Amino acid sequence: MALQLPIFLLLHTLAIGEPQQPGTASIRGRVLDPQRQGVAATVRAVHSRTGIERTTQADRTGQFAFTNLAPGPVELTVTATGFAVQKVDTLVLEV
């Protein structure tokens, strides 16, 4: 049986100075292992009201970003080999 380690997310929403469409939000974050080292991972954002889904890859330092997101509730899901799936259900984007 494989060991599933937890991963952690550090999130920053609504990045200032990012070139994006008016009335949209962005999410920047970092995926970390228990030793606070970056993890390459797949990050999925689903807008809870519209169902629109976007996926991006966190790089080997764990950094990822989504831009031009509609305001409202978003669910984030992070998956990485050897780690348990992590979800954030209560992220609300505002502009």
Side-chain angles (χ1 to χ4, degrees):
M1 182 162 111
L3 176 63
Q4 295 289 304
L5 299 173
I7 50 179
F8 306 97
L9 292 174
L10 296 177
L11 298 174
H12 305 283
T13 59
L14 201 62
I16 305 300
E18 285 289 316
Q20 58 185 28
Q21 298 295 319
T24 63
S26 64
I27 301 171
R28 291 188 167 285
R30 193 163 177 220
V31 181
L32 302 173
D33 68 13
Q35 288 75 40
R36 303 190 65 77
Q37 297 298 309
V39 175
T42 300
V43 184
R44 187 180 91 191
V46 179
H47 195 281
S48 300
R49 289 189 195 136
T50 65
I52 294 173
E53 179 179 321
R54 302 249 313 264
T55 302
T56 193
Q57 293 295 126
D59 64 19
R60 62 182 172 81
T61 67
Q63 295 183 44
F64 69 91
F66 291 100
T67 59
N68 298 319
L69 297 171
V74 173
E75 177 185 293
L76 290 181
T77 305
V78 179
T79 56
T81 303
F83 294 92
V85 173
Q86 298 294 305
K87 288 188 179 186
V88 178
D89 296 322
T90 57
L91 186 61
V92 178
L93 303 180
E94 297 179 349
V95 290

